[in-house]
Amino acid sequence: MNNNAFDYKQQLSRLSFTTEEKVAMIRRLADASQAAPKKRREAFFSAHSYATMFIIEGKEAFYGDPSLREPGLPVCDLPCGPRHVPAVRRGVLSAQRWQRLSRRRLGIESKTDGRFDDAFSDFEKAAAEGDAAGQCMLGLAYKTGEGVAQSWPDAVLLYRAAAGQGHAQAQCNLGWCYEFGKGVPQDAKAAARWYGEAALQHDPRAECCLAICYTNGTGVAADPVRAVQLYTLSAQAGFVPAMRNLAQMIHLGRGTAKNDEAALAWYQKAAAQDDARALFMCGQFYEKGFGVECNAPLAADFYLRAARQGYAPAQACYAICLEYVRGVPANPTEAVEWYTRAARQGDTQAQFALAVCCEQGTGTPQSWGDAIRWYSMAAAQELPQALLNLGLCYERGAGVRRNPEEALHLYRRAARLGLPAAENRIGALYERGDGV
């Protein structure tokens, strides 16, 4: 064999397969050969049979020592001579590619099964062999801390290595790190640039991220028309967040003509994928009659589907439907349950509504203590009506010690937010000289 024509030792030294990998690759080769058309099988084996030999027999056996073959695996009896060098070259290179693919696939399978330590090990091997997808997956492991201590700098390092090889997902991930300052100094222009690199490869997520940059003027000059174009490309590729964002742009008439019917169509496409936010927006459109006739029962159904996924605004809206009989039978007790779920997630409208229920004893035993607690939480988020109601509690001494000075302070905060009723209460306090 003409060893000068191809440096076998150098190439074969890069191959190091476990028994499990060898078996998996042999099976894949057999499956692929059976799936190939009959007239292509001979060509298939001419390119890949030598890869199989290296995988099964090991590189030492190739140099003429059959005793080094791994026990328990079949022997691949193939001729070896100078005229076979081109096929051997293809076989070695194919074996290297198969090795990287195998590492990555094993890692994905391990991650899917929840074996994060094994997944990290497999991705690490693939990344060390220069596999861009393996580098990206290893970066994701460092990002999430699955199978390894969480480390943004290590994630960025791996994303950059894969991005440099043109891996679109890694480019998009690297852009995200720059946008939010994870593992690198925050740099909006660098974020937009990497999003753009991935978008050029028609990566749907990158197209959506770049569209957001153009929507908000992040790292690029704001351009809603360009944003709509990118959202459309991403949405047409099936990326659900882009569907939602495109629907919002059309509904608001930003970068395109306002068209509620078209907006609802995109929200419905995203809702068909059980996207909670899209389900919620469909509920809003049917409740308020945007581009469609009002339909309270259908709106309530959309809210419920989104609420079951834990989306707080939908939970609050479905609770309102239950409390005020909008498309569903009245059920104040269940309404309080949904208000509570949303309120615990920080939804201000739900906190306020729950406080009113506690104050009035609607769907729950009357409790001034709970009412004050929920009013206070909503007021801390500057909800005008919550500031007013909490002020009334302090003015009247309901559930708290009477404190007109605190009531005046709360009224003023509500008045600055444009609530006329708060201005009336301020006037009443001044008229009585109470707390001033």
Side-chain angles (χ1 to χ4, degrees), residues 195-203 206-207:
Y195 288 147
E197 290 290 332
L200 287 173
Q201 300 186 60
H202 306 292
D203 181 83
E207 289 171 335

Side-chain angles (χ1 to χ4, degrees), residues 34 102 119 131-132 139 142 169 181 203 227 290 326 359 420:
Q34 290 300 316
S102 175
D131 181 68
Y142 274 109
Q169 183 183 357
D203 181 83
F290 293 144
R326 297 179 182 174
E359 178 183 344

Side-chain angles (χ1 to χ4, degrees), residues 147-162:
V148 65
Q150 199 278 337
S151 172
W152 280 110
D154 286 328
V156 168
L157 184 68
L158 287 155
Y159 288 154
R160 195 184 303 279

Side-chain angles (χ1 to χ4, degrees), residues 43-313:
F44 180 89
F45 276 108
S46 70
H48 295 284
S49 57
Y50 286 92
T52 310
M53 178 178 67
F54 296 134
I55 295 167
I56 296 174
E57 298 186 18
K59 59 179 180 288
E60 294 85 355
F62 184 76
Y63 291 105
D65 188 353
S67 65
L68 295 174
R69 291 174 180 145
E70 187 172 330
L73 289 176
V75 174
C76 188
D77 187 14
L78 296 171
C80 297
R83 66 188 181 88
H84 298 114
V85 167
V88 173
R89 179 187 292 110
R90 290 193 298 271
V92 172
L93 297 177
S94 176
Q96 291 171 343
R97 287 193 299 271
W98 278 33
Q99 182 184 44
R100 292 194 294 269
L101 179 62
S102 175
R103 302 286 195 198
R104 194 193 325 149
R105 283 181 174 174
L106 287 172
I108 293 172
E109 291 169 3
S110 298
K111 183 175 180 180
T112 302
D113 294 340
R115 294 179 286 110
F116 297 120
D117 290 342
D118 292 342
F120 175 81
S121 176
D122 294 325
F123 290 144
E124 189 174 39
K125 292 174 183 176
E129 290 155 5
D131 181 68
Q135 291 168 339
C136 183
M137 295 301 293
L138 187 61
L140 287 171
Y142 274 109
K143 171 195 170 184
T144 59
E146 294 176 344
V148 65
Q150 199 278 337
S151 172
W152 280 110
D154 286 328
V156 168
L157 184 68
L158 287 155
Y159 288 154
R160 195 184 303 279
Q165 296 188 61
H167 193 273
Q169 183 183 357
Q171 291 172 335
C172 187
N173 291 352
L174 184 58
W176 188 92
C177 290
Y178 272 111
E179 182 177 0
F180 296 99
K182 299 294 186 179
V184 289
Q186 196 167 16
D187 188 337
K189 290 184 178 179
R193 184 173 66 251
W194 281 112
Y195 288 147
E197 290 290 332
L200 287 173
Q201 300 186 60
H202 306 292
D203 181 83
R205 175 169 164 254
E207 289 171 335
C208 183
C209 290
L210 185 58
I212 294 172
C213 290
Y214 278 110
T215 300
N216 302 324
T218 304
V220 292
D223 187 344
V225 174
R226 179 61 176 150
V228 167
Q229 293 171 344
L230 287 163
Y231 283 139
T232 302
L233 290 172
S234 181
Q236 289 174 341
F239 192 60
V240 171
M243 295 179 189
R244 278 193 277 105
N245 291 355
L246 178 59
Q248 183 181 35
M249 297 291 280
I250 297 173
H251 173 55
L252 298 175
R254 290 193 63 191
T256 185
K258 179 178 173 63
N259 186 333
D260 284 339
E261 291 181 1
L264 178 58
W266 279 112
Y267 277 132
Q268 288 174 325
K269 287 182 180 180
Q273 305 297 320
D274 274 338
D275 180 79
R277 294 185 181 183
L279 288 165
F280 170 72
M281 289 307 301
C282 285
Q284 292 274 287
F285 271 56
Y286 277 102
E287 180 184 357
K288 299 175 181 178
F290 293 144
V292 69
E293 290 186 10
C294 291
N295 189 326
L298 189 55
D301 182 65
F302 277 118
Y303 289 146
L304 178 58
R305 289 168 60 191
R308 284 172 173 165
Q309 295 187 44
Y311 190 54

